[in-house]
Amino acid sequence: MDVMGDKATLFETGRFVQPSGREDTDTPDETGEIADEAAEELRQRLAAEAGDVEAMSVLGAMLLRRGDLDGAEPHLRAATAAGDRAAANNLGVLLHQRGYADEAAGWWRIAAVAGSTAAAHALGRHHRERGDEPAAEYWLRQSAEQGHTLGAYALADLLEHRGDAGAEHWMRAAAERGHREAAYRLARALDRKAAREADDDGAPVPDEAEQWYRQAAARGHRRAALHLGTILEKRGELKEAGRWYLTSAKDGEARAACALGFLLRDAGDTENAAVWWLRAAQDGDGNAANALGALHAARGETQTAERWYRAAMDAGDVNGAYNLGLLCAEQGRTPHAEQWYRRAAYAGHQEAANALAILLLRAGDETGAEPWFSKAAEAGSVDAAFNLGILHAGRGEEQAALRWYERAAAAGHTEAALQVGMARLRDGDDQEAERHLRCAAGGGSAEAAYRLATVLDSRRPPEPAHELGEPVHRRSECEEWYERAASQGHRRAQVRVGMHAAARGDVVEAARWYREAAEAGSRNGAFNLGLLLAREGSEPEAAVWWTRAADAGHGRAALRLALVYARRGELAEGQRWADRAVSLGPDSVAERAARLRDALRQELSA
């Protein structure tokens, strides 16, 4: 039971009874203290032999503290018989250590009735161990109300166990009197209460809770130090967070060692991070074992990585099985990957369920994949929801696909938001389309940025004319989105940016974007670059880009080439490109190309 602990407290000494088998080790620094203690014991022994009751009680306590139960008992019994309440309490402690719990309780009762708060506390704990909660509460309350710290803590623990609202009052009383476990538990209670009220586990920790964590940590409570480190890390105070993680880790808290490892890794110190992860993993921390596995996997040390992933799994961390699946998949060991994914998925790992579904889908088992996608999506996997959308879209089930895309988009999935935006565009709902495209574009989707730009571009009013009749060009939001998409390599966006630059008269900028699009394979970019070069008097270079565009299926580029060769007098080559323009279209181009082809044919046959 938490309230009992593993040590009984000696009355009014502030010390703990040591196990009887303890060996004292003398050091040069302790020699003087040991000599003083021996002298004090001799003085108390002489006084006790002379019949001094207080000396009997003090000598009994000294021997009990040292673990000399046989030597302590006669002195404590003699002092108790003379009415010394401290001796009665300590006699109870001695008998409790010997295993005579009922006899110990009898002496504690005598001392408690005589006003010993320590005895009342010990008696209350005795009754709680026996399952007699009303008696336990009575004596613990007697102890707590008279200012006994341990009594206040034990009473708070009892009341908290019963769900009694008065628990916080006594936990606070114990914490205020310096009880570090009470300070920690009070902080945890305040923390959880704030999270419930905010309906958010990630809600900020209240200032009062943080103060109690800090007090408990300062008194050496390793879990409080861990929580304090977590609070500070979330706040960005990494240096102080690291100090508390280190304090907790040195005291044996594996989770703190693991957290310290991640802090060091993020600071670029993987070598020391690995040291703390190793320490935590050896103490059974699965998260640290996974981190070590990932570290070795990144170095190409797959066997060592696998060993640590297995250690994580053995520690009860389901991520170990998932990571083993990833490792096997990277090595092409598909059957083993499926095995580990299944193990993690059956244990409720949502991303493992999604990975398993992808594996089955790639193997052609769509029937087997769909339930795992559904299970992962229902468990909260955003990727699985998106993949279900793809699955339904592939079957032509557009409404079902849209529902899953919307679910994934609501959780922040960029590509899902793009798909929803495009669906809304097809439905003619520009407002909803814009909203989703903005989300996707903000998430880094070049296609979404381009589509958003086209929506905004279509709404843009004509450029107002300057008072002298020249157009005035103002930079619009749609241009910003075109440029964002273009900078991400989106070819159609690059062409649009080039067109806007050309409209401003910035030929150099326009040529740069057209050339970038053309070199990436854009036939419109190549055609527009050709036009720009032709206008600047570089028709031979223009013909090179028009040839690239025409070879990629651009009808107008083929018609331009036909005109170039006709002007040069190369009629047969001009006729060939005119024929190509007729076949490529569109209709207006095909019509003009046909007239040119016929004229060239007549000229050749004349």
Side-chain angles (χ1 to χ4, degrees), residues 308-537:
W308 282 113
Y309 288 148
R310 287 180 183 274
M313 189 173 58
D314 292 341
D317 192 324
V318 71
N319 285 313
Y322 174 59
N323 288 332
L324 277 169
L326 291 174
L327 192 66
C328 292
E330 288 172 3
Q331 294 172 335
R333 297 157 56 195
T334 305
H336 290 92
E338 182 179 339
Q339 169 195 342
W340 293 116
Y341 284 150
R342 280 189 187 278
R343 182 163 178 171
Y346 278 122
H349 195 293
Q350 61 189 40
E351 293 309 325
N354 180 58
L356 175 60
I358 292 171
L359 206 66
L360 294 171
L361 193 61
R362 286 174 179 168
D365 186 4
E366 185 176 311
T367 305
E370 186 173 356
W372 286 111
F373 276 138
S374 296
K375 186 174 182 179
E378 293 298 344
S381 171
V382 180
D383 288 335
F386 177 67
N387 288 334
L388 273 173
I390 293 174
L391 200 64
H392 286 290
R395 297 173 185 163
E397 299 164 0
E398 298 298 334
Q399 289 305 310
L402 184 57
R403 283 196 300 274
W404 286 110
Y405 285 146
E406 286 177 331
R407 184 164 175 171
H413 196 288
T414 298
E415 290 303 312
L418 169 62
Q419 294 300 323
V420 175
M422 291 171 64
R424 296 303 178 210
L425 279 178
R426 289 193 295 271
D427 294 341
D429 188 349
D430 283 5
Q431 295 299 324
E432 274 298 293
E434 180 184 342
R435 183 171 71 84
H436 283 95
L437 290 173
R438 282 188 184 278
C439 290
S445 170
E447 181 66 24
Y450 171 74
R451 299 268 181 177
L452 175 61
T454 60
V455 169
L456 298 173
D457 207 356
S458 67
R459 298 179 191 160
R460 194 168 56 159
E463 294 284 358
H466 189 267
E467 60 183 359
L468 297 179
E470 297 177 359
V472 177
H473 185 85
R474 293 186 178 88
R475 184 178 175 80
S476 62
E477 187 188 0
C478 76
E479 287 181 69
E480 293 174 4
W481 287 111
Y482 278 137
E483 286 182 11
R484 181 179 294 193
S487 64
Q488 292 176 256
H490 195 287
R491 294 182 301 180
R492 284 174 294 171
Q494 289 169 343
V495 173
R496 290 296 183 98
V497 173
M499 291 169 65
H500 282 288
R504 291 196 302 271
D506 191 344
V507 176
V508 174
E509 184 72 0
R512 181 174 75 84
W513 285 111
Y514 287 150
R515 188 180 299 276
E516 195 164 330
E519 288 176 347
S522 169
R523 61 189 187 185
N524 284 329
F527 175 71
N528 287 356
L529 180 57
L531 289 178
L532 205 64
L533 291 167
R535 288 171 190 157
E536 295 298 310

Side-chain angles (χ1 to χ4, degrees), residues 8-301:
T9 307
L10 290 170
F11 177 61
E12 294 173 348
T13 64
R15 300 290 294 274
F16 291 103
V17 177
Q18 299 294 337
S20 57
R22 178 179 180 270
E23 294 182 3
D24 292 326
T25 303
D26 294 350
T27 66
D29 293 334
E30 295 172 341
T31 303
E33 183 181 343
I34 292 168
D36 290 343
E37 188 174 329
E40 177 62 21
E41 183 181 332
L42 179 59
R43 283 193 296 271
Q44 296 296 343
R45 190 177 294 277
L46 292 171
E49 289 173 355
D52 188 319
V53 175
E54 184 179 353
M56 295 176 194
S57 179
V58 172
L59 179 59
M62 291 177 72
L63 294 170
L64 178 60
R65 184 167 62 242
R66 200 163 63 216
D68 184 0
L69 305 188
D70 292 335
E73 187 171 350
H75 295 293
L76 292 175
R77 285 191 181 276
T80 300
D84 189 290
R85 71 180 188 183
N89 174 67
N90 289 338
L91 180 57
V93 172
L94 184 149
L95 291 167
H96 187 272
Q97 288 193 25
R98 287 191 184 279
Y100 303 131
D102 291 335
E103 189 179 351
W107 291 112
W108 281 330
R109 181 181 295 276
I110 291 171
V113 169
S116 170
T117 57
H121 164 242
L123 187 58
R125 295 195 311 179
H126 168 79
H127 283 298
R128 188 174 179 190
E129 280 190 335
R130 294 297 186 273
D132 187 353
E133 291 197 0
E137 182 180 350
Y138 173 81
W139 288 110
L140 291 175
R141 196 174 289 279
Q142 291 292 317
S143 174
E145 287 176 350
Q146 293 178 64
H148 194 273
T149 302
L150 295 177
Y153 173 70
L155 178 60
D157 184 81
L158 176 64
L159 295 174
E160 187 177 83
H161 175 71
R162 290 209 310 247
D164 193 308
E168 184 179 325
H169 166 76
W170 289 111
M171 197 70 78
R172 189 182 297 276
E176 288 171 349
R177 294 169 192 167
H179 195 290
R180 69 180 188 183
E181 182 67 22
Y184 170 70
R185 289 179 63 176
L186 178 60
R188 293 291 294 145
L190 293 169
D191 198 346
R192 286 192 291 265
K193 182 179 178 182
R196 283 195 304 272
E197 289 175 352
D199 195 24
D200 179 11
D201 289 339
V205 176
D207 290 342
E208 186 185 4
E210 183 180 338
Q211 289 168 9
W212 287 116
Y213 278 134
R214 194 175 289 277
Q215 286 196 33
R219 295 185 182 116
H221 196 290
R222 69 187 193 187
R223 283 173 294 163
L226 168 64
H227 281 280
L228 183 57
T230 303
I231 292 166
L232 293 165
E233 184 180 1
K234 286 180 180 177
R235 222 165 41 215
E237 298 175 27
L238 303 184
K239 191 172 181 180
E240 189 180 356
R243 286 200 298 270
W244 286 113
Y245 282 149
L246 181 61
T247 298
S248 181
K250 284 181 175 179
D251 285 340
E253 182 60 54
R255 290 174 297 170
C258 181
L260 181 58
F262 282 112
L263 212 59
L264 290 165
R265 181 205 63 181
D266 293 344
D269 189 357
T270 55
E271 185 176 345
N272 279 310
V275 170
W276 286 104
W277 283 334
L278 178 60
R279 183 167 175 173
Q282 288 173 338
D283 286 339
D285 190 284
N287 195 22
N290 271 315
L292 280 172
L295 186 65
H296 287 288
R299 294 172 179 171
E301 301 164 355

